[in-house]
Amino acid sequence: SFSERYLYDGHLGDGSYGDVWRIKEKEGECRGYAAKFMDLTGPLREDLVKHIPRELSVLKKIQSPYVVGYVEHFINTDDTFNNHMVIVMELLEGGWYTIV
């Protein structure tokens, strides 16, 4: 479960499929990550079930300095985000960048 491994460390934003939170490990290096929480019981459930497997498949394969890295995913079984798919990704911190 989420609460056994991670702590919430601030809300980063929300999108059409869910909320993104900054999280950190409870043990070990206590590294920070970004976690996307998607409600599997809400009105977008059918879209999520249809699109998540493809998104995860692509994320797992991509290794690029230009794409945020995939860490893990699981279905949360506790706390506020019970029955949510959680996708844990590398955390990019900083501001907006302009590419010229």
Side-chain angles (χ1 to χ4, degrees):
S1 72
F2 178 85
S3 65
E4 291 175 358
R5 299 191 310 240
Y6 298 105
L7 296 169
Y8 295 101
D9 196 29
H11 187 250
L12 295 173
D14 19 313
S16 57
Y17 288 110
D19 291 325
V20 179
W21 288 79
R22 181 178 31 245
I23 63 172
K24 66 180 181 178
E25 297 172 312
K26 281 186 168 183
E27 297 179 8
E29 298 176 33
C30 297
R31 293 185 355 190
Y33 299 101
K36 183 178 183 179
F37 292 83
M38 298 172 287
D39 187 358
L40 296 177
T41 62
L44 298 174
R45 183 189 187 291
E46 286 185 36
D47 279 353
L48 291 173
V49 170
K50 181 178 177 183
H51 297 290
I52 286 176
R54 190 172 91 217
E55 180 179 345
L56 291 173
S57 174
V58 170
L59 287 172
K60 288 178 184 180
K61 293 176 186 175
I62 295 175
Q63 293 195 7
S64 168
Y66 306 107
V67 179
V68 176
Y70 166 88
V71 176
E72 70 172 324
H73 73 280
F74 54 91
I75 296 178
N76 192 33
T77 58
D78 60 10
D79 74 32
T80 305
F81 293 105
N82 188 34
N83 291 319
H84 282 59
M85 169 67 72
V86 181
I87 301 176
V88 180
M89 309 283 293
E90 293 176 331
L91 177 64
L92 291 180
E93 297 192 84
W96 290 96
Y97 297 92
T98 303
I99 299 174
V100 179

